[in-house]
Structures are given as structure tokens and as C-alpha cells.
Amino acid sequence: MKTVISIQSHVAYGYVGNRAAVFPLQRLGCDAIAVNTVQFSNHTGYGEWTGQVFTAEHVADLMDGVAARGVLPGCDALLSGYMGDVGLGQVIVETAGRLKAANPRAVYACDPVMGDVGRGFFVRPGLPEFIRDHAVPAADLMTPNQFELEYLTGRTVETLDDALAASAALRARGPRLVLVTSLTRKDADPGHIEMLADDRDGAWLVSTPRLPLDPPPNGSGDAVAALFLAHYLKAFDPAQALEQAAAAIYAIFQTTRRMGTRELQLIAAQDEFVNPSQRFAVTRVR
């Protein structure tokens, strides 16, 4: 059994942040240690919410308590998502270093949540620069969407060659593996959406049909990062993890659409995490 520390946001209702990541990790056999950066009634996509953002000191204090239990040497990975602000980002990067000191084989998986195509940045000023300059060099695995990949590398991604060049540029700054979670390019079928996994030994692409979800459910990037990490920790095989994660998130989207809700239907689709009913071919592109 693998153990993953997940430092992300938390909502009472719905599925984003840790609510979108912890259950998939657990369903795939990982013991998840959840540390919440915020506690809101619901995700901010609804336009209104209640709750509080936790301070960096609060999160650091929680991690001190976790470390005091002597669990860090047995932890296999740290997964981080929405950071909130630079101070909290510093705590997360420091936690990654702390974990690696306790277990040099541990993986720091950073989902650089900061913006998206059409929305632009939706995080506090200074955080994109912090992620670019500090989280990227500390990470082993980065899971940016296309907008985030372009920002982190200063490159425009319009073709597969562009995506490969950008992911290589990101790897050159620290991470050994990059998962581009939502790739839309001019030289591909507009009715499909792709994910790209790229490491020094190769790159793999998977394409799934684009489902009409309006509005698109929040939390899909959080779920994909957790699904990919859980499968990656089993065999450290990027292609296999990509195939499994793509099948699972597609099934989640299908179930969400069928049930007519804007919240990801993780519970209803949980068996698809383990045994997907529909798989998609993974193609080696480098």
C-alpha cells in the first residue's frame, strides 16, 4: 500500500481539491493523509460560498503534528493542488523537502493550479511566479493544463510539436515527468481532448471524446492528478498511468453528464477507477 500526503483545498459540498483527490487515491489502494488549505461550503465556481482560508502557519503546524507521528519515512508521495498564497506555497515546498529528506524515493507531484484557457489566472498575485520559480524546481511530477504549461515555459502550444517542446522545457527545470492534463491543438480532432505524458525516456498521448458538459465540472484537474499519481506509484510506468487515468476521468465525465449535475460523480463512477469499461489507445509520440 502506498501512502500519499495531499495538501489541497476542501469543500463540504461537492468535489474539488482534496474532495476530488482523496477518494480516488483511497479507491486505488493508497492511504491518503489529507491536509486542507481552505474549508469552504462549496467551490467558488458557484459565485458564492462560506468558510475560511487557513493560514500558512496553520498548515505548517498540522504538518509538524503529522511528522511527529513518525510517518514521513513511510510516505511515498506528496500531492499539492491549489496553494492559496505564496506563504502557503512556501510551506508546501518545504514539506516536499522534508519528505524527501525522510524518504529519498518519495515523489513530489505538483498540480500547478493557477488558471485556465478562457479564464486566465484565478489565483492571488505572486503565486504564478512562485510556482514557476520554486515549485517547479522542487517537483518530480507536474500536472499542468495547457494554459499553465504555456505560462510556466513561456511558450505557445498550438501543435503536438509545440506541446512536446514545452513539456521538455518544463522538465529541464526540474520535474522528471510532466502530465499535460487537457491538450487542445490545431493539428488534432476538435471533437476530442488529449492528455500528454512526457519524461526523458519517451512521450505518450491519449485522446478521448469531448463530452458536452455545461458548465464544465470543477475539480477535474484535481481528480486527474490523483488518478494518475495513484497508478504511477504502482509501477512508475507513465504510459500505463496515462491510460488508466484517461479511462477513469472519461467515465467520471460520462456519469456526471448522465446524472445531470455540475459536481463530479466520483462515488457513482468509483468502480471505473479500478476496472474501466472503456479504454483509449495510448500512442507513443517520442
Side-chain angles (χ1 to χ4, degrees), residues 20-275:
V22 169
F23 179 69
L25 288 169
Q26 292 172 327
R27 188 65 178 83
L28 290 168
C30 296
D31 186 13
I33 299 172
V35 177
N36 300 325
T37 57
V38 310
Q39 180 163 273
F40 288 166
S41 56
N42 51 269
H43 67 68
T44 59
Y46 286 100
E48 57 182 17
W49 65 93
T50 59
Q52 296 180 346
V53 177
F54 297 138
T55 65
E57 292 76 17
H58 173 84
V59 175
D61 187 47
L62 285 178
M63 283 309 310
D64 284 343
V66 170
R69 303 285 68 78
V71 301
L72 293 187
C75 288
D76 300 280
L78 166 65
L79 173 62
S80 70
Y82 175 69
M83 290 184 176
D85 60 26
V86 170
L88 186 52
Q90 290 172 336
V91 171
I92 292 171
V93 171
E94 288 167 4
T95 299
R98 196 173 182 179
L99 175 58
K100 286 176 170 292
N103 178 8
R105 297 186 301 276
V107 173
Y108 172 32
C110 177
D111 183 9
V113 179
M114 65 177 99
D116 205 350
V117 174
R119 295 178 64 189
F121 290 110
F122 49 68
V123 295
R124 293 179 181 179
L127 192 54
E129 292 83 359
F130 174 84
I131 293 174
R132 181 192 63 201
D133 298 338
H134 299 279
V136 168
D140 301 293
L141 164 62
M142 294 288 295
T143 61
N145 60 31
Q146 187 165 336
F147 173 88
E148 292 157 348
L149 177 67
E150 290 184 330
Y151 169 75
L152 292 173
T153 61
R155 294 171 176 263
T156 300
V157 176
E158 295 184 342
T159 67
L160 178 57
D161 285 343
D162 291 340
L164 290 169
S167 61
L170 188 57
R171 284 192 294 105
R173 300 194 52 233
R176 63 175 181 258
L177 173 60
V178 172
L179 171 69
V180 186
T181 59
S182 56
L183 180 61
T184 300
R185 52 192 176 91
K186 291 182 177 180
D187 53 343
D189 183 350
H192 284 67
I193 191 164
E194 298 171 323
M195 291 197 291
L196 174 71
D198 177 52
D199 71 6
R200 67 180 182 181
D201 297 321
W204 299 266
L205 189 72
V206 65
S207 175
T208 58
R210 192 184 296 271
L211 296 173
L213 292 164
D214 188 24
N218 293 66
S220 57
D222 305 325
V224 167
L227 290 162
F228 183 87
L229 176 62
H231 285 293
Y232 180 67
L233 290 175
K234 293 178 181 179
F236 296 96
D237 184 333
Q240 185 180 76
L242 179 63
E243 179 187 2
Q244 296 283 352
I249 195 64
Y250 183 76
I252 293 168
F253 284 159
Q254 277 192 316
T255 305
T256 302
R257 182 183 178 218
R258 185 174 66 248
M259 297 182 72
T261 174
R262 66 181 293 175
E263 294 292 345
L264 292 174
Q265 293 302 296
L266 299 178
I267 308 304
Q270 62 179 289
D271 290 344
E272 297 280 350
F273 304 170
V274 180
N275 187 26

